[in-house]
Amino acid sequence: MSDLSRLPSLGAQFAVLSLLAVGGTNAVAPEMHRQMVEVSHWMSDRDFAQMFAVAQAAPGPNLIVASIVGWRVAGGWGALVATLAMCAPSSIGVYVAWGLWRKVQDRPWRAWVQAGIAPVVIGLIGASGFLLAKGADENGRAMVLTAASAALIWRTKLNPLWILSGAAILGAAGLV
Amino acid sequence: MSVPATAPPAAPTHAQLFLHFTWAGVRGFGGVFVMGRRMLVEETRWLTPEEFIEVLGLCQFMPGPNIVNVSVVVGSRYRGWTGALAALSGILLAPSVIAVGLAAAYQRFSAVPMVAHVMGALAPAASGLVLGSAIKMAMPVLARDRVLALPVGLGVLIAAGFLHWPLVPVLLVAAPVGLAIAWARRDSATELEAQ
């Protein structure tokens, strides 16, 4: 599986994805799929779908799909190169942007800029929640589970880990 | 970043940044956003709820995985670029290793029904966590200025969540609209704050 000659191209592709990923990793999933499956022919459609599902089920940022896809393409080095390429360009960008944002912190316009941006941010999070639920909820019981989980995190201070553990037990018992 | 009235605890060390972000990462099923907010706002209080939305807002408008961008901002806020590296390594290292391990295991055991059942239940619950967090964040923002927050928030939700608009056009439309309404209402918002 370790094909080190793929590393430069793998790194370059993920570095570009990093700079395209306004709104996060899942926003560039279609482009990642195009690169890995259709352009480079490094994995099949089914391979990619499976790797993506595992990344969703694993703990951690959505970015770890890059680690898994990189691993599938070129082993451990592939995982390392893809992960670093996926986060380095954007991290440097946000580091610089945050420095600039702090310099203007006492300007009066910052208050209304913040107020104008907040609903956009929250709307996007709600949208990603709906999209995730649409992909995950294959039947009515799964929808009830989604609603219960949303209500618990909204109305209580229950640790999300308990909610997920409960869901895992329901799943293992074949109730979802 | 304006200093809040209840100042956050002493600035975290590099080791604390690394460890807290690691712990948030390995608990973060379905994305670290929920755990990241809990860790930053409720557990360590490194950010107030308002600061979290502000940081997240900047990070969502910059390319890159959101919570990874948040780790860079929080790390650099307390310990400069080395702090950013510490927080970034924390959020990435353990989850990446676990994920690759899981992928290897999944390739072996994907035929076992129990594995499929558990994964089939985790995904709906994880999506509910994201929805519930969005509602939790929306409540104070709606209470503060409904005229601004309701149309903009709902518009983005519908465009991105139901109409499947690509993200860039959503941002290019929603951000100017949100900013324009906020600018037009800037005086009433300031009065509210002063009260």
Side-chain angles (χ1 to χ4, degrees), chain B residues 126-146:
Chain B
S127 68
L129 296 183
V130 177
L131 282 173
S133 300
I135 299 170
K136 208 174 186 174
M137 290 172 77
M139 287 305 151
V141 172
L142 283 173
R144 190 161 162 233
D145 189 349
R146 200 172 292 261

Side-chain angles (χ1 to χ4, degrees), chain A residues 1 17-25 27 47 50-51 53-64 67-68 71-72 79 83-84 86-87 90-95 97-98 101-102 105-106 110-134 136-138 142-143 145-147 149-151 153-161 163-165 167-174 176, chain B residues 1-2 23 25-35 38 42-43 50 53-69 72-73 76-77 80-81 84 88 91-92 95-96 98-100 102-104 106-107 110 114 117-139 141 144 148-149 152-153 156-157 160-162 164 167-168 170-171 174-175 178-179 182-183 186 193:
Chain A
M1 180 175 289
L17 288 176
S18 173
L19 292 174
L20 287 177
V22 176
T25 308
D47 281 341
Q50 281 187 349
M51 297 298 110
V54 173
Q56 298 287 49
N62 295 329
L63 161 75
I64 56 177
S67 316
I68 297 182
W71 168 77
R72 187 71 178 71
T83 309
L84 289 179
M86 186 72 199
C87 70
S90 55
S91 294
I92 293 168
V94 80
Y95 180 83
W98 182 250
W101 182 240
R102 285 177 73 168
Q105 63 182 355
D106 296 326
R110 246 184 72 151
W112 63 258
V113 168
Q114 266 173 253
I117 294 303
V120 181
V121 172
I122 295 166
L124 281 175
I125 294 168
S128 71
F130 270 111
L131 289 173
L132 284 171
K134 213 175 107 190
D137 293 351
E138 290 169 344
M143 289 173 75
L145 186 56
T146 297
S149 153
I153 201 77
W154 173 28
R155 303 298 297 190
T156 74
K157 288 194 176 288
L158 195 64
N159 190 318
L161 264 193
I163 301 173
L164 291 168
S165 308
I169 291 168
L170 290 176
V176 178
Chain B
M1 177 76 51
S2 53
W23 181 224
V26 298
R27 285 182 296 167
F29 289 88
V32 181
F33 161 72
V34 177
M35 278 301 172
R38 187 182 172 88
E42 290 168 27
E43 290 174 2
E50 296 76 25
I53 291 180
E54 181 194 1
V55 170
L56 194 65
L58 180 83
C59 290
Q60 286 199 313
F61 277 83
M62 294 298 294
N66 296 331
I67 197 70
V68 174
N69 282 348
V72 170
V73 167
S76 72
R77 179 189 178 198
W81 68 271
L88 180 65
I91 201 83
L92 282 181
S96 291
I98 293 170
V100 170
L102 275 178
Y106 181 69
Q107 283 204 328
S110 56
M114 177 77 96
H117 283 149
V118 170
M119 275 183 58
L122 278 180
S127 68
L129 296 183
V130 177
L131 282 173
S133 300
I135 299 170
K136 208 174 186 174
M137 290 172 77
M139 287 305 151
V141 172
R144 190 161 162 233
L148 164 66
V152 176
V156 170
L157 181 68
F162 294 92
H164 302 283
L167 188 77
V168 172
V170 172
L171 292 182
L179 290 175
W183 179 80
R186 65 194 183 283
E193 265 179 15

